Amino acid sequence: MDKQKTISSEISFSGIGLHTGEKSNLTLKPLKENSGIIFKRVDIDEPVYIEALLENVVSTNRGTAIGKKNVKIYTVEHLLSALYALEIDNLLIEIDNIEPPILDGSSKIFFNNILNGGLTEQLAEREYYKISEPIHYYDENSDIVLKILPSKEFSVTFESDFPFKDIGKQKFTLNSLSEYIKEISSARTFCSLDEISYLKKDNLAKGGSLDNAVIFLSEKNTKDDISKIEEYLGRNLIYDDSSNTVNNTELRYSDEPVRHKILDLIGDLSLLGKPIIGHIHSYKSGHKSNVEFGKLIKEMNSNFKFNKEEIKTIIPHREPFLLIDEIIGGIKGSSVIAKKNVVNSDYFFEGHFPNNPIMPGVLILESMAQASCFLSFNNVDNTDQKMMLLSVINSSKFIKKVIPGDELILRVKLIKIRLGTANMEGIAMVNNKIVAKANFMATIVDRNNE
Ligand code: ZN
């Protein structure tokens, strides 16, 4: 068994943040076993501690930010990626600004300096997310796909497709964390020349410079576009017809963008708080989908699992109208994943429709509502005197037919709960494809009164 690790002695880093352009100082300090990775903002009157965990993610726009009590730390992914690759479990990161230094845009300086400072093995054993069943994630609004498959060790395959000159589709596999330093750590953050104007408009990337980011030209960039951006930046850019980057930035790897995407993905998934054993496959994912995927891994590997009899002790629904068979995952108070085996003997198929059985869309929605009832009731007292009624359907969409033989998976997230009314967002899937989705509200009421 592997032991947990921390660093042997304090290490500091200084430099400007990518988005804020402000100088920040980091001091890394050893922490005792089972502490995890914790950031501490030391520049405010009462220091705030923010654990590097998915539940503390507050933004995924152009980088991953974590926060607590309105105190935030932006762009944590490069440092976290290096820590994950170094297999550091416990660490205090003191920071005196809202963003760690971007350094050279990669994680190489973090990785090397921390390694050179020495690591200390601790007494406690490491705990892992060991993947035993494949987990798939699809972003409904894009063609992003993420999946993780059982494997003996941690590995990542990434496929990217950027419309940059001479870049296009790229694919890279990191076979083992032992190859991280050589294959991944030097890959720098990047953007397209066109993106610079958007970033400036959003007041982002203020610290972005040609020393810490690769700026790519696209096939369609005309001399006119480029001179507009030069005007905007107030400086001249060096390029010629053969360049695909500005100012003669030489790539560190011919496929540097896809490798940096792996660097980011590792940093984002490190927010699970435990290392993963499994093979990750990403198609075009970014910070938002990486974080959502991390949450799904956490839900699927939680001990939030209940059989039908246990479900019946929590929610009042009974056969033939009990439309969930099993709770297969979730996070108490936050999300639930339920399963329903759709079978020929389900009573509604008799009439919906004779010889052409299709599960009614409203019953898919009802099964989501029952899963949400379980999630809510699992968290409140006296549920034997209560029930939950669907009160509003804000939106719903039925995308594919559900028929006998299908295994219906219902994933419902609690958006917020106020005065006994919960706002929920659910998706229903068969064979990893979304068949329905809905945003609805349900209200907890007393059983006999209303
Ligand atoms: Zn990055």
Side-chain angles (χ1 to χ4, degrees):
M1 272 303 221
D2 298 323
K3 301 287 187 197
Q4 294 183 14
K5 280 188 211 125
T6 189
I7 54 172
S8 307
S9 53
E10 285 186 25
I11 307 165
S12 296
F13 296 91
S14 298
I16 57 157
L18 176 65
H19 293 302
T20 51
E22 285 177 37
K23 191 174 176 211
S24 76
N25 301 292
L26 284 182
T27 304
L28 277 46
K29 297 181 172 177
L31 266 192
K32 66 176 192 322
E33 290 122 303
N34 301 315
S35 305
I37 310 284
I38 304 173
F39 283 82
K40 179 185 179 187
R41 277 280 299 272
V42 293
D43 56 317
I44 37 189
D45 288 343
E46 224 165 272
V48 172
Y49 292 85
I50 307 168
E51 299 83 8
L53 292 173
L54 289 168
E55 49 267 41
N56 291 332
V57 172
V58 289
S59 159
T60 48
N61 181 23
R62 293 262 154 203
T64 301
I66 55 173
K68 250 186 181 177
K69 303 177 193 163
N70 285 325
V71 175
K72 293 175 189 166
I73 302 169
Y74 293 85
T75 329
V76 292
E77 62 272 16
H78 299 169
L79 171 61
L80 290 179
S81 182
L83 297 176
Y84 186 92
L86 287 159
E87 303 186 316
I88 291 173
D89 304 283
N90 306 303
L91 190 70
L92 180 68
I93 303 163
E94 293 185 349
I95 179 167
D96 66 357
N97 209 321
I98 61 169
E99 194 180 28
I102 187 67
L103 304 175
D104 70 343
S106 76
S107 64
K108 189 172 100 179
I109 298 170
F110 286 131
F111 188 101
N112 283 333
N113 290 14
I114 296 168
L115 185 64
N116 292 338
L119 303 181
T120 300
E121 211 172 73
Q122 299 173 296
L123 290 174
E125 274 163 14
R126 296 192 99 194
E127 279 178 42
Y128 292 91
Y129 278 110
K130 190 170 178 4
I131 304 304
S132 51
E133 297 270 338
I135 300 171
H136 295 250
Y137 171 85
Y138 294 84
D139 186 316
E140 309 138 55
N141 305 312
S142 63
D143 53 352
I144 291 169
V145 181
L146 275 155
K147 60 186 176 190
I148 187 162
L149 306 170
S151 164
K152 282 205 182 75
E153 68 177 314
F154 177 82
S155 51
V156 184
T157 297
F158 204 110
E159 290 178 69
S160 59
D161 189 3
F162 290 103
F164 310 147
K165 207 169 151 189
D166 306 329
I167 296 293
K169 284 193 166 82
Q170 296 186 326
K171 182 176 177 177
F172 188 79
T173 296
L174 171 72
N175 289 305
S176 156
L177 274 184
S178 61
E179 294 173 7
Y180 179 93
I181 180 63
K182 180 167 151 263
E183 307 289 1
I184 303 296
S185 73
S186 300
R188 291 159 296 175
T189 195
F190 60 90
C191 71
S192 70
L193 192 60
D194 312 287
E195 277 174 290
I196 289 182
S197 41
Y198 294 112
L199 290 171
K200 293 271 173 191
K201 220 183 276 166
D202 286 349
N203 232 352
L204 288 165
K206 278 193 260 181
S209 77
L210 300 167
D211 304 322
N212 56 33
V214 183
I215 298 166
F216 284 100
L217 293 162
S218 77
E219 294 288 356
K220 62 175 181 29
N221 280 142
T222 62
K223 284 212 158 58
D224 262 7
D225 298 337
I226 299 172
S227 49
K228 259 185 218 151
I229 289 168
E230 285 176 320
E231 223 171 276
Y232 196 75
L233 293 173
R235 60 184 289 185
N236 286 330
L237 300 169
I238 306 161
Y239 65 96
D240 61 38
D241 288 345
S242 66
S243 338
N244 70 341
T245 61
V246 298
N247 289 19
N248 301 320
T249 306
E250 270 192 49
L251 295 186
R252 293 176 174 177
Y253 312 96
S254 62
D255 52 1
E256 192 168 346
V258 71
R259 294 182 193 233
H260 185 80
K261 296 299 282 183
I262 293 180
L263 188 157
D264 279 343
L265 174 68
I266 292 174
D268 289 339
L269 289 182
S270 77
L271 294 163
L272 273 160
K274 282 192 260 177
I276 300 164
I277 301 178
H279 178 73
I280 297 161
H281 200 127
S282 167
Y283 181 70
K284 290 168 60 170
S285 70
H287 298 298
K288 181 170 182 274
S289 43
N290 294 343
V291 165
E292 286 304 316
F293 182 54
K295 289 180 181 168
L296 182 60
I297 293 175
K298 195 171 171 182
E299 286 171 13
M300 291 303 290
N301 286 276
S302 75
N303 52 14
F304 199 72
K305 294 188 191 326
F306 302 88
N307 63 29
K308 205 172 204 170
E309 289 316 306
E310 290 166 324
I311 292 171
K312 283 159 82 171
T313 65
I314 303 280
I315 66 173
H317 308 76
R318 292 294 178 267
E319 293 94 346
F321 213 71
L322 176 59
L323 294 176
I324 51 178
D325 295 330
E326 216 183 315
I327 302 293
I328 58 170
I331 298 167
K332 192 176 163 125
S334 149
S335 59
V336 62
I337 303 174
K339 188 169 96 176
K340 156 138 187 77
N341 291 307
V342 181
V343 291
N344 255 317
S345 55
D346 275 320
Y347 73 96
F348 41 80
F349 286 134
E350 253 175 62
H352 199 273
F353 301 97
N355 304 321
N356 191 10
I358 298 169
M359 183 171 180
V362 289
L363 292 188
I364 299 174
L365 212 155
E366 171 63 23
S367 52
M368 282 184 207
Q370 293 186 9
S372 78
C373 181
F374 184 89
L375 177 66
S376 309
F377 278 14
N378 194 256
N379 225 11
V380 297
D381 298 326
N382 304 327
T383 53
D384 53 333
Q385 292 153 38
K386 291 185 165 60
M387 55 188 187
M388 200 169 190
L389 299 177
L390 204 52
S391 48
V392 180
I393 299 170
N394 291 313
S395 65
S396 59
K397 200 168 177 183
F398 303 97
I399 298 150
K400 279 190 82 192
K401 281 193 280 194
V402 175
I403 57 170
D406 284 346
E407 188 182 273
L408 188 64
I409 302 292
L410 308 143
R411 186 176 181 221
V412 182
K413 281 191 279 189
L414 176 67
I415 311 288
K416 67 176 176 207
I417 186 159
R418 194 171 289 162
L419 300 173
T421 295
N423 182 200
M424 308 277 192
E425 206 171 71
I427 54 170
M429 291 189 292
V430 171
N431 286 329
N432 299 307
K433 295 258 167 7
I434 295 174
V435 294
K437 53 185 183 177
N439 182 307
F440 56 94
M441 291 164 99
T443 304
I444 298 173
V445 296
D446 290 335
R447 272 192 202 181
N448 295 319
N449 295 351
E450 282 161 77

